[in-house]
């Protein structure tokens, strides 16, 4: 389903500009003094910036009717502002240029003009009314979430998105978690950054084109905001409350956005990717997902060896735990506890499982029992118990997690 | 407006006696000394919070993480905002009020001199808590200057230090505001009616009422945050029957008037500078006063425009959109009046005038982006993006901060008795204006194209404008050192300013010597009746 419009539709720039990489081809010879080199580097960066040909300086290309309305509203108000600029700044420039003491201009001592003052109070009111009318129409359209063809529940977690397609019956629901797919090495400048740097996820939200999709949003921890600029949709996900919004995408393609409400350390690293596909492809995808869910339920019934669990657990850890506890398990002193050598992690299984499954209230430690599958939880627990300085040698099996759910 | 007819009686002898050295500053109840303390304190905080911004821009120079890790980045943005607002901008305006309000209304001092001393000396305590929180376990508060729960509930001891610091700053602000209100209402020279007061005094009178009205609201909401953190309450926790969005409503009920607390005195400074260098009276004095009052009133009924994406009912969104758009009317009146003040004047372009002219242009750009953001559908697209960052820096840097700089150049000759170095002043002005626009104008484009704010790393299509913005920011930061040099140079010496260095200045402070005597207007000046 990703074979449609290339992801570049939102990235209006040349692919992977070389100058943002550490090894830039502009790098001058090593004989140059460091400050000169820095200045040259800056100039190299500035020149194309000033040329400006391939820069996004306006809203993204709208992909929904609402986004079109927003685009038009913005353009209209920009023209109105341009008109006011002329009215205000032309007299100001004339005064600055001509009414100078150095040109011998003597000051006129007037300080009131009733009719003028009334005019520049009343005329703006009418301009504002003219502007408020189309904006009001759009607000009412944005708020109308009725008669949706498909409802998807979106839950924000620190720092990933959970999607649940609500079916006619509870067991028809498809549920999965979408996390950042950009490798850590790219963020740390140890690998070249690819085109969808920080805007790629492991599992995108798949929706049918031409259908009215209603999102109901909430959060499990702090406030997040679900935002796809090309849809004109931005809605806060608020813990303990449900909010809703909607969109209808016209063209198939990949649309990218990001969390838009500061939500902690990983705020810059929880992108949103939506794949819009034709309705018949969507139905096929939905069928595949149900089969996958059944397979994963079967997998959770098995017993695994330590090595198998550790391999899977390392991936789960990187996606869910490493932003706070760090890849080396050392945590961040004072903010996020170390797992390596932790008495809780290397101690009896029950305490460790409880902390990961139920979280710790009042801290950023989430209840992962609600987010991850039995197998993923078993794997990450096993990984933590047998990594860094922790050498318990024991495993946690999916069945032990499943037992907690009943 | 007003006109001073008599020169103040000469001052010398026992009136000048005051303790020397450190004790002078610690124990001072003199409005000029305390004003000086406020101004130096705010300059120090301006440089500290500015350094935090330099680190932020250094990290954002290129995509990828280079300088700081995300948790430190969030601390930098949070503390930059809090310290600039509560440590730099607000105390700077209180410093102006301390120096200028008594001088401009012919009062001998502030109404409550000891309260004045205490209002100032609370500030270093709060600043120590804020700056010291960087050394607390886990680092400083990192939840944004807006402190939204539940994120703010998650933090460590630094978050409590920040709450305590804001409490102290709030107490200081309220005491300062009460002092200013009582001074203006009770200590005006006989014969000076309210409508004869210089506009700067009017803007501060209204600002002080705003402070008294909303600082207690902020104190309440951060206390609720504190009890949620430590004492088992659930004001903002849905699991206990609370609502995280309620925090935002209460916070912004404080927060929007706070925006005007930081801009109304700037209007006052600009409205003082423009007539001086245009050599003609301020156009539309009465409508200026009414415009400031209406902006202050409207500021209480627009708060939820900061929260359009929280998902309020359509009726709520429309109400707050209409009220927000209405603010454009009195703001427009002010801009039109300023331009009319320039019209057919006899203009000269000393440094204060340059800052005032730049203020009109750049603040208006901030006003336009505010109008764009008032439209709910457009706001929903731009909320929490760099467009908003651009918008509030056009209002707070080229609005508040540049008016403060202009005001400093305008009154430095009066305060020190020396003329500042005009070449340094102009160099500072031009570098600041160019670097400011280089830093913040591209942020409009970044926000429109979809870059969220408060992120330590960003997608590749935002790379070029971020680099331009960072280069601008480094130049902007470096340019402020020229400001420091210009101020210090002026204090240490320079051409004698004389009583009235500005030909067009007609307010009472210019009837005094430069620097004014330690105790001025012990006998109130006589005010000529309003000439109409």
């Amino acid at each position: 389903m990703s074979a449609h419009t290339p992801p570049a539709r939102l990235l209006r720039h040349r692919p992977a500009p070389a100058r943002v990489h550490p090894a830039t081809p502009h790098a001058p010879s090593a004989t140059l003094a460091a400050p000169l080199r820095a200045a040259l580097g800056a100039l190299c960066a500035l020149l194309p910036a000033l040329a400006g040909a391939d820069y996004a300086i306006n809203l993204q290309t709208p992909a929904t009717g609402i986004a079109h309305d927003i685009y038009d509203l913005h353009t209209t108000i920009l023209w109105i502002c341009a008109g006011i600029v002329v009215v205000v700044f032309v007299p100001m420039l004339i005064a600055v240029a001509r009414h100078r003491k150095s040109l011998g201009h003597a000051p006129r001592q007037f300080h009131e003009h009733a009719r003028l003052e009334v005019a520049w109070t009343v005329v703006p009111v009418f301009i504002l009314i003219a502007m408020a009318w189309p904006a009001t129409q759009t607000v009412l359209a944005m708020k109308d979430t009725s008669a949706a063809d498909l409802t998807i529940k979106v839950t924000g977690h620190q720092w990933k998105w959970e999607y649940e397609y609500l079916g006619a019956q509870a067991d028809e629901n498809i549920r999965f978690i979408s996390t950042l797919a950009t490798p850590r090495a790219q963020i740390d400048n140890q690998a070249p950054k690819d085109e969808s740097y920080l805007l790629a996820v492991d599992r995108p939200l798949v929706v049918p084109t031409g259908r009215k999709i209603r999102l109901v949003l909430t959060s499990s921890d702090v406030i997040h905001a679900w935002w796809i600029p090309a849809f004109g949709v931005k809605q806060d996900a608020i813990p303990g409350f449900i909010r809703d919004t909607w969109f209808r995408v016209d063209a198939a393609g990949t649309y990218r956005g990001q969390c838009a409400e500061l939500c902690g350390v990983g705020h810059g690293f929880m992108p949103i990717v939506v794949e819009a596909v034709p309705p018949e492809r969507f139905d096929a995808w939905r069928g595949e997902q149900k089969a996958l869910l059944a397979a994963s339920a079967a997998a959770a019934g098995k017993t695994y060896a330590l090595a198998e669990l550790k391999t899977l657990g390392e991936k789960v850890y990187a996606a869910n735990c490493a932003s706070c506890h760090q890849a080396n398990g050392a945590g961040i002193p004072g903010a996020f506890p170390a797992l390596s050598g932790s008495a809780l992690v290397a101690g009896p299984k029950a305490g460790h499982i409880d902390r990961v499954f139920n979280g710790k209230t009042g801290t950023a430690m989430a209840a992962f029992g609600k987010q991850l599958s039995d197998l993923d939880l078993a794997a990450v627990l096993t990984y933590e118990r047998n990594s860094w300085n922790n050498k318990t040698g024991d495993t946690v099996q999916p069945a032990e997690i499943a037992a907690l759910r009943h | 407006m007003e006109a001073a007819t008599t020169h103040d009686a000469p001052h010398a002898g026992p009136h000048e006696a005051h303790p020397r050295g450190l004790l002078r500053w610690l124990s001072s109840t003199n409005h000029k000394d305390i004003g000086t303390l406020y101004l130096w304190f705010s300059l120090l905080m301006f440089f500290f919070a500015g350094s935090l911004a330099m680190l932020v821009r250094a990290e954002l120079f290129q995509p990828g993480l280079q300088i700081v890790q995300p948790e430190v980045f969030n601390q930098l943005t949070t503390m930059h905002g809090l310290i600039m607002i509560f440590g730099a901008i607000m105390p700077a305006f209180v410093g102006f009020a301390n120096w200028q309000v008594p001088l401009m209304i012919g009062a001998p001092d502030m109404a409550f001199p000891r309260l004045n001393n205490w209002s100032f000396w609370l500030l270093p305590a709060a600043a120590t808590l804020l700056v010291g929180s960087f050394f607390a376990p886990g680092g400083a508060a990192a939840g944004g200057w807006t402190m939204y729960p539940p994120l703010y509930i998650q933090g460590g001891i630094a978050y409590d230090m920040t709450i305590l610091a804001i409490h102290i700053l709030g107490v200081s602000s309220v005491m300062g505001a009460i002092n200013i209100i009582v001074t203006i209402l009770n200590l005006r020279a006989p014969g000076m009616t309210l409508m004869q007061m210089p506009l700067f005094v009017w803007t501060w009178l209204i600002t002080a009422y705003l402070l008294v009205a909303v600082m207690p609201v902020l104190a309440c909401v951060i206390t609720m945050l504190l009890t949620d953190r430590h004492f088992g309450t659930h004001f903002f926790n849905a699991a206990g029957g609370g609502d995280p969005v309620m925090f935002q409503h209460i916070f912004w009920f404080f927060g929007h008037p706070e925006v005007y607390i930081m801009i109304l005195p700037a209007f006052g400074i600009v409205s003082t500078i423009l007539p001086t260098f245009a050599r003609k009276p301020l156009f539309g004095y009465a409508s200026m006063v009414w415009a400031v009052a209406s902006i202050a009133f409207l500021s209480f009924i627009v708060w939820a425009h900061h929260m359009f994406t929280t998902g309020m009912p359509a009726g709520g969104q429309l109400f707050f959109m209409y009220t927000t758009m209405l603010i454009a009317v009195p703001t427009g009146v002010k801009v039109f009046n300023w331009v009319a003040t320039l019209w057919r004047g006899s203009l000269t372009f000393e440094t204060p005038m340059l800052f005032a002219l730049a203020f009109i242009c750049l603040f208006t750009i901030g006003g336009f982006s505010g109008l764009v953001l008032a439209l709910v559908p457009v706001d929903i697209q731009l909320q929490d993006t760099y467009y908003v960052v651009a918008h509030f820096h056009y209002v707070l840097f080229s609005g508040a901060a540049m008016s403060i700089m202009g005001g400093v150049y305008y009154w430095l000759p009066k305060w020190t008795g020396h003329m500042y170095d005009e070449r340094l002043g102009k160099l500072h002005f031009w570098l600041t204006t160019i670097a400011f626009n280089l830093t913040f104008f591209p942020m409009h484009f970044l926000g429109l194209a979809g870059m969220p704010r408060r992120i330590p790393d960003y997608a590749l299509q935002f790379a070029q404008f971020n680099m331009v913005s960072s280069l601008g920011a480094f130049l902007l930061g470096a340019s402020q050192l020229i400001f420091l040099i210009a101020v210090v140079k002026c204090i240490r010496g320079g051409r004698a300013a004389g009583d009235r260095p500005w030909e067009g200045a007609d307010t009472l402070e210019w009837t005094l010597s430069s620097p004014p005597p330690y105790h001025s207007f012990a006998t109130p000046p006589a005010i000529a009746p309003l000439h109409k």
Side-chain angles (χ1 to χ4, degrees):
Chain A
M1 62 219 53
S2 55
H4 304 280
T5 324
R9 63 174 285 131
L10 300 185
L11 310 173
R12 283 182 254 162
H13 65 101
R14 274 171 262 140
R19 60 185 166 273
V20 299
H21 297 315
T24 153
H26 296 301
S29 81
T31 54
L32 289 173
L36 188 60
R37 224 177 335 173
L40 260 179
L43 201 65
C44 289
L46 262 181
L47 286 180
L50 295 175
D54 56 347
Y55 289 81
I57 59 165
N58 202 347
L59 293 164
Q60 294 186 5
T61 313
T64 64
I66 293 287
H68 265 290
D69 291 348
I70 292 174
Y71 193 99
D72 293 344
L73 269 175
H74 177 254
T75 308
T76 313
I77 191 127
L78 220 51
W79 279 113
I80 290 176
C81 290
I84 302 172
V85 163
V86 173
V87 172
V88 173
F89 291 118
V90 167
M92 183 172 160
L93 281 177
I94 292 174
V96 165
R98 294 230 209 120
H99 306 161
R100 289 175 174 238
K101 192 187 178 195
S102 58
L103 299 176
H105 196 275
R108 302 288 186 86
Q109 297 299 320
F110 65 89
H111 54 84
E112 267 168 353
H113 192 292
R115 256 185 287 174
L116 198 58
E117 289 178 68
V118 169
W120 67 40
T121 310
V122 174
V123 172
V125 173
F126 286 103
I127 298 177
L128 291 174
I129 291 172
M131 211 50 241
W133 177 251
T136 302
Q137 303 294 314
T138 310
V139 169
L140 295 176
M142 290 170 101
K143 279 287 166 192
D144 179 16
T145 53
S146 62
D149 300 312
L150 173 66
T151 299
I152 303 172
K153 182 182 168 201
V154 179
T155 309
H157 302 286
Q158 285 175 315
W159 293 278
K160 49 194 170 275
W161 293 100
E162 176 186 332
Y163 299 114
E164 187 169 2
Y165 293 70
L166 304 181
Q169 280 142 7
D171 60 347
E172 288 182 1
N173 292 357
I174 302 166
R175 191 185 75 93
F176 59 88
I177 285 188
S178 174
T179 54
L180 177 73
T182 302
R184 184 73 206 183
Q186 291 190 17
I187 297 170
D188 289 336
N189 311 306
Q190 285 150 358
K193 298 176 184 12
D194 55 43
E195 196 176 17
S196 53
Y197 176 68
L198 293 185
L199 294 178
V201 296
D202 55 351
R203 300 191 62 182
L205 179 70
V206 180
V207 297
T209 52
R211 298 275 195 273
K212 183 168 185 175
I213 316 286
R214 173 175 176 246
L215 299 181
V216 292
L217 300 102
T218 186
S219 163
S220 68
D221 37 51
V222 303
I223 301 173
H224 303 273
W226 197 91
W227 178 35
I228 294 285
F231 293 177
V233 169
K234 184 186 286 145
Q235 174 58 54
D236 288 2
I238 298 160
F241 291 85
I242 296 275
R243 296 287 196 265
D244 67 351
T245 185
W246 71 276
F247 61 85
R248 180 186 279 122
V249 202
D250 309 324
T254 305
Y255 301 90
R256 295 168 198 274
Q258 283 177 271
C259 176
E261 180 68 54
L262 179 62
C263 56
V265 175
H267 168 55
F269 307 95
M270 51 183 295
I272 299 151
V273 179
V274 177
E275 294 269 10
V277 298
E280 54 283 7
R281 302 258 322 239
F282 176 76
D283 292 337
W285 174 84
R286 209 171 185 177
E288 288 162 27
Q289 297 308 305
K290 282 181 190 152
L292 278 178
L293 277 180
S296 107
K302 291 203 295 177
T303 302
Y304 293 85
L306 194 149
E308 276 179 288
L309 285 169
K310 258 190 86 170
T311 314
L312 174 61
E314 189 170 3
K315 286 183 200 148
V316 179
Y317 184 85
N320 295 282
C321 318
S323 20
C324 294
H325 298 295
Q326 307 297 306
N328 62 5
I332 294 168
F336 306 112
L339 301 187
S340 179
S342 146
L344 183 81
V345 176
K349 266 205 266 186
H352 186 197
I353 295 175
D354 174 66
R355 177 58 51 84
V356 174
F357 193 86
N358 293 317
K360 186 177 182 190
T361 48
T363 71
M365 182 64 198
F368 284 92
K370 290 177 196 152
Q371 298 181 24
L372 301 178
S373 70
D374 295 352
L375 178 57
D376 284 351
L377 280 166
V380 79
L381 281 157
T382 306
Y383 173 75
E384 289 174 1
R385 301 177 68 74
N386 296 287
S387 298
W388 321 299
N389 293 330
N390 305 337
K391 296 181 175 62
T392 60
D394 56 15
T395 62
V396 178
Q397 294 296 335
E400 293 173 69
I401 308 295
L404 292 175
R405 298 201 191 270
H406 300 296
Chain B
M1 262 179 287
E2 78 295 335
T5 51
T6 58
H7 198 287
D8 193 31
H11 291 274
H15 284 298
E16 298 294 298
H18 54 73
R20 303 279 159 190
L22 189 62
L23 202 61
R24 166 179 174 184
W25 301 105
L26 279 173
S27 65
S28 182
T29 53
N30 181 290
H31 74 101
K32 301 181 186 81
D33 279 359
I34 294 172
T36 304
L37 286 171
Y38 265 108
L39 289 168
W40 275 116
F41 174 83
S42 64
L43 191 62
L44 185 68
M45 288 296 111
F46 178 66
F47 276 104
F48 180 78
S51 313
L52 302 183
M54 294 298 107
L55 285 170
V56 166
R57 285 315 320 172
E59 177 52 53
L60 293 173
F61 187 68
Q62 285 190 329
L65 296 177
Q66 288 92 8
I67 316 270
V68 293
Q69 288 300 305
E71 67 273 10
V72 179
F73 183 89
N74 290 347
Q75 295 170 31
L76 294 175
T77 53
T78 302
M79 299 311 279
H80 166 73
L82 279 172
I83 296 177
M84 277 296 187
I85 291 169
F86 292 105
I89 303 280
M90 291 171 68
F93 282 131
V94 181
F96 275 101
N98 259 288
W99 255 105
Q100 289 309 127
V101 166
L103 293 186
M104 290 173 112
I105 61 173
D109 205 307
M110 298 293 280
F112 304 119
R114 290 185 196 170
L115 191 72
N116 205 12
N117 173 290
W118 195 34
S119 317
F120 173 77
W121 282 107
L122 284 173
L123 296 183
T128 310
L129 276 172
L130 283 177
V131 175
S133 71
F134 274 102
F135 304 100
W145 85 273
T146 48
M147 303 181 285
Y148 283 5
L151 183 61
Y152 205 82
I153 308 288
Q154 290 179 347
I157 182 83
Y159 290 63
D160 303 311
M161 293 167 77
T162 304
I163 289 176
L164 187 57
I166 295 171
H167 267 305
I168 297 172
L169 292 164
V171 170
S172 161
S173 286
V174 171
M175 291 193 309
I178 290 172
N179 213 341
I180 289 167
I181 292 173
V182 177
T183 305
I184 295 174
L185 294 185
N186 287 355
L187 298 186
R188 292 193 313 282
M192 183 186 275
T193 62
L194 284 175
M195 290 309 276
Q196 265 177 302
M197 297 194 309
L199 203 80
F200 175 74
V201 180
W202 255 117
T203 55
W204 242 117
L205 179 64
I206 291 168
T207 302
Y209 274 109
L210 286 181
L211 276 166
V212 171
V214 301
M215 290 311 283
V217 177
L218 176 67
C220 287
V221 80
I222 59 175
T223 305
M224 290 156 90
L225 209 50
L226 189 74
T227 61
D228 264 17
R229 281 170 57 80
H230 294 294
F231 306 111
T233 56
H234 296 103
F235 291 114
F236 309 127
N237 180 357
D243 182 350
V245 178
M246 183 173 71
F247 174 90
Q248 299 181 24
H249 280 291
I250 307 174
F251 180 86
W252 287 113
F253 187 81
F254 145 79
H256 204 81
E258 169 69 14
V259 172
Y260 294 112
I261 287 166
M262 291 189 283
I263 202 66
L264 296 185
F267 290 167
I269 292 175
V270 169
S271 304
T272 309
I273 294 176
L274 289 176
T276 295
F277 297 98
R279 292 167 180 76
K280 65 192 270 279
L282 183 69
F283 186 89
Y285 172 85
S287 66
M288 283 301 226
V289 172
W290 285 111
V292 172
S294 358
I295 291 173
F297 169 75
L298 285 172
S299 76
F300 286 103
I301 52 167
V302 298
W303 77 87
H305 70 213
H306 296 270
M307 305 164 52
F308 285 146
T309 60
T310 57
M312 66 189 75
Q317 290 189 336
L318 291 175
F319 172 81
F320 286 106
M321 175 171 80
Y322 300 150
T323 53
T324 304
M325 292 173 82
L326 266 185
I327 292 186
V329 176
T331 312
V333 167
K334 299 200 77 74
V335 174
F336 296 135
N337 280 339
W338 286 326
V339 173
T341 303
L342 297 174
W343 187 249
R344 313 198 96 180
S346 177
L347 307 186
T348 51
F349 302 93
E350 290 86 345
T351 307
M353 180 63 157
L354 292 178
F355 273 102
L357 292 174
F359 174 95
I360 299 178
C361 300
L362 300 176
F363 174 79
T364 302
I365 294 180
F368 286 144
S369 54
L371 193 56
V372 171
L373 288 168
L375 302 176
V376 173
V378 185
D379 177 85
I380 284 179
Q381 186 70 287
L382 296 175
Q383 163 76 4
D384 271 311
T385 69
Y386 262 85
Y387 192 91
V388 175
V389 177
H391 162 69
F392 66 67
H393 281 94
Y394 267 83
V395 182
L396 284 179
F397 192 101
S398 61
M402 281 175 69
S403 81
I404 289 168
M405 292 167 190
V408 166
Y409 286 111
Y410 182 70
W411 279 303
L412 259 182
K414 175 55 58 187
W415 296 340
T416 65
H418 309 128
M419 288 309 286
Y420 60 87
D421 183 333
E422 192 67 61
R423 274 174 52 219
L424 271 183
K426 284 188 172 150
L427 180 70
H428 171 228
F429 167 78
W430 284 110
L431 283 177
T432 300
T433 305
I434 293 166
F436 167 80
N437 284 294
L438 203 57
T439 309
F440 293 105
F441 205 81
M443 289 185 185
H444 292 113
F445 302 138
L446 286 171
L448 286 167
M451 178 169 167
R453 65 192 278 214
R454 293 167 164 172
I455 55 172
D457 194 6
Y458 48 83
L460 298 183
Q461 72 264 40
F462 306 126
Q464 290 82 2
F465 281 133
N466 267 294
M467 192 176 275
V468 174
S469 181
S470 286
L471 290 172
F474 301 146
L475 181 61
L476 185 59
S479 308
Q480 302 321 306
L481 297 173
I482 302 172
F483 182 47
L484 183 65
I485 295 168
V487 170
V488 171
K489 200 176 160 195
C490 180
I491 292 170
R492 299 177 80 171
R495 189 161 57 80
D499 293 1
R500 194 164 70 101
W502 311 126
E503 187 187 17
D506 67 347
T507 39
L508 282 175
E509 73 271 32
W510 307 107
T511 63
L512 298 170
S513 61
S514 299
Y518 197 63
H519 297 289
S520 44
F521 293 130
T523 317
I527 304 293
L530 201 62
H531 49 82
K532 272 217 157 177

